[in-house]
Amino acid sequence: MNKVLLHCRPGFEKECAAEIQDLAAELEVFGFPRVINNSGFVIFEGYGPEDGRILMEQLSFNQLVFARSWFMVLAELKDMDTEDRISAVMEHSELLPKAGMLWVESGEGDEYRSLLSFCRKFTVPLRQAMRSSGVLTKKEHDKMPRIHLFLTDSGNGYLGYSRSDNGSPFYMGIERLKFPSDAPSRSTLKLDEAFSVFLTKEEQEERAHSGMKAVDLGACPGGWTYQLVRRGMFVEAIDNGEMAPSLMETGQVKHYSVDGFKHEPIHTNNRWLICDMVEKPDRVASLMARWFINGWCHDAIFNLKLPMKQRYTMVSDCLNQLSSALRHAGVRHEIKAKHLYHDREEITVYVHRRK
Ligand SMILES: C[S@@+](CC[C@H](N)C(=O)[O-])C[C@H]1O[C@@H](n2cnc3c(N)ncnc32)[C@H](O)[C@@H]1O
């Protein structure tokens, strides 16, 4: 019970490891991460026998920026008999809590393609075995613990579980979103994913609904604006580039060819600020602080582009800088940040002004 496994984007294992080690240390959980570059996962091993459990209970999954999903490891499966992997897994079934779902997972990316296809096939008989033994409910329940079997190859892996109230609700932490064929750019999926990761359904209904006003800094060709228009909002789109004509035809968008760093909002009652300008992250963080301090928006979603090196340090510094600027100005707020599935060399941040 001293280990947790964290999924991350392949190539970001070091950031994921540094982050869990820091956050664990804040809870006085000390240990070390095991990192294999480009594997898409990290194991954090605590020195105390119950450290995995302590982390799952006391550390909020939402605090983790670089982890897409996580679970507590209960057993390490080594050199499973490839003729009978079911028995190798079920040997440990008494360790598992009664669960509502089973996820057989692996890393993400081309290297894992055939292993992931095996994971999907293997899920069917393993689920059957777990249902017969009573570990798994007969029907899926999304409010119960989830069993994770993470395979590193066809004979080795980790078995454990996550809590439904403190983990990602998605298989491998990835929400599969459909690209809308009429959207002007693929980056539209990034904002769609951000809404769904950062806001509950109820919060989306309350905070991002029809009739609201929004500003999009660095808007062209309009993939992010598209998501706001789709939600019935009216958007000031700021960019020197060209906006997609289909968006302009909706009558919900006004385009201004000006510098996003100098622009001041035309309307005073903007609910949203979104920003996807490719700029230095500390500059973007300062700009976001300025909008909140001036009372120009209530909610913001923006990207922080990551540097080549020191990515975790930069993220921590920018988020601290933003939070402390808002605190000093007396702006009550909540900040969430995630390296989303649709993010590459950037993270996405959500800031909400508290009443
Ligand atoms: C990654 S693209 C935005 C894509 C857009 N979110 C979408 O989904 O279609 C970045 C945009 O930021 C714009 N940009 C960069 N610096 C800017 C600035 N200082 N002021 C306004 N726009 C800027 C660029 O012209 C570019 O169109």
Side-chain angles (χ1 to χ4, degrees):
M1 320 281 182
N2 68 332
K3 295 189 197 81
V4 291
L5 186 149
L6 305 103
H7 291 251
C8 64
R9 185 180 188 87
F12 288 82
E13 296 79 13
K14 281 192 195 126
E15 288 73 18
C16 185
E19 181 175 54
I20 186 70
Q21 197 162 18
D22 274 4
L23 292 176
E26 282 176 19
L27 295 170
E28 302 200 341
V29 170
F30 301 103
F32 60 95
R34 291 171 195 242
V35 172
I36 304 168
N37 287 341
N38 291 312
S39 63
F41 75 100
V42 168
I43 302 273
F44 178 80
E45 190 165 341
Y47 295 123
E50 291 298 319
D51 281 351
R53 192 184 297 287
I54 295 172
L55 289 180
M56 300 301 290
E57 281 170 9
Q58 296 184 20
L59 177 61
S60 163
F61 173 69
N62 290 340
Q63 275 184 266
L64 296 161
V65 176
F66 289 97
R68 286 179 177 164
S69 180
W70 70 343
F71 66 91
M72 180 166 75
V73 176
L74 296 172
E76 207 164 329
L77 303 163
K78 288 187 178 155
D79 301 323
M80 282 185 277
D81 176 359
T82 48
E83 297 295 308
D84 185 13
R85 294 180 186 86
I86 301 273
S87 300
V89 176
M90 293 307 289
E91 232 175 72
H92 304 282
S93 62
E94 77 284 357
L95 297 172
L96 295 165
K98 179 97 182 179
M101 253 191 259
L102 164 69
W103 284 335
V104 182
E105 304 173 314
S106 185
E108 176 228 330
D110 287 347
E111 277 173 51
Y112 287 105
R113 193 153 297 189
S114 64
L115 186 56
L116 277 173
S117 136
F118 170 74
C119 288
R120 270 190 288 279
K121 283 186 209 136
F122 185 54
T123 305
V124 180
L126 183 59
R127 188 190 286 133
Q128 197 48 49
M130 288 189 166
R131 282 186 174 156
S132 303
S133 76
V135 174
L136 207 57
T137 52
K138 299 276 179 238
K139 280 190 184 163
E140 288 204 334
H141 282 281
D142 60 5
K143 300 272 185 290
M144 290 179 73
R146 301 140 181 157
I147 296 171
H148 296 247
L149 172 63
F150 184 100
L151 296 180
T152 50
D153 60 40
S154 62
N156 295 280
Y158 299 90
L159 179 69
Y161 79 96
S162 64
R163 290 167 35 168
S164 62
D165 61 351
N166 193 21
S168 168
F170 306 113
Y171 173 72
M172 288 174 50
I174 300 172
E175 184 176 13
R176 303 279 163 188
L177 293 167
K178 200 165 171 283
F179 175 66
S181 57
D182 55 342
S185 67
R186 282 207 72 79
S187 62
T188 196
L189 291 176
K190 211 189 293 180
L191 189 60
D192 203 14
E193 185 184 358
F195 274 120
S196 124
V197 166
F198 295 132
L199 289 92
T200 61
K201 285 218 161 62
E202 295 72 35
E203 285 168 344
Q204 288 187 50
E205 278 165 24
E206 190 198 316
R207 300 180 192 174
H209 62 71
S210 182
M212 286 178 165
K213 292 197 168 66
V215 178
D216 183 354
L217 301 177
C220 292
W224 283 31
T225 291
Y226 174 91
Q227 289 298 333
L228 302 182
V229 166
R230 193 168 79 81
R231 288 167 172 81
M233 295 193 212
F234 293 87
V235 186
E236 274 172 42
I238 312 302
D239 201 309
N240 280 323
E242 291 276 312
M243 284 299 278
S246 56
L247 280 175
M248 301 310 297
E249 282 159 17
T250 62
Q252 288 168 246
V253 183
K254 287 218 165 101
H255 179 198
Y256 301 90
S257 292
V258 291
D259 183 349
F261 282 90
K262 297 196 180 128
H263 178 71
E264 294 192 1
I266 312 290
H267 302 285
T268 49
N269 55 347
N270 287 302
R271 175 75 200 210
W272 280 91
L273 170 66
I274 56 171
C275 172
D276 190 21
M277 291 189 288
V278 182
E279 249 299 341
K280 286 201 180 116
D282 52 343
R283 229 187 138 203
V284 172
S286 306
L287 181 67
M288 297 300 110
R290 180 168 167 244
W291 275 68
F292 275 90
I293 292 167
N294 284 328
W296 292 342
C297 63
H298 270 83
D299 294 83
I301 291 179
F302 56 95
N303 271 167
L304 292 179
K305 309 290 170 189
L306 298 169
M308 296 292 281
K309 288 185 183 160
Q310 305 281 328
R311 299 186 287 202
Y312 169 63
T313 313
M314 187 286 292
V315 165
S316 311
D317 290 352
C318 285
L319 295 179
N320 288 335
Q321 169 198 327
L322 173 60
S323 176
S324 93
L326 296 183
R327 259 199 323 274
H328 279 109
V331 179
R332 297 189 64 224
H333 65 279
E334 167 191 6
I335 300 182
K336 294 182 187 173
K338 207 76 184 163
H339 194 205
L340 300 176
Y341 174 63
H342 292 96
D343 283 333
R344 290 177 184 271
E345 296 296 322
E346 71 246 322
I347 61 153
T348 303
V349 185
Y350 170 53
V351 182
H352 171 66
R353 182 192 296 273
R354 285 215 175 112
K355 285 198 180 109

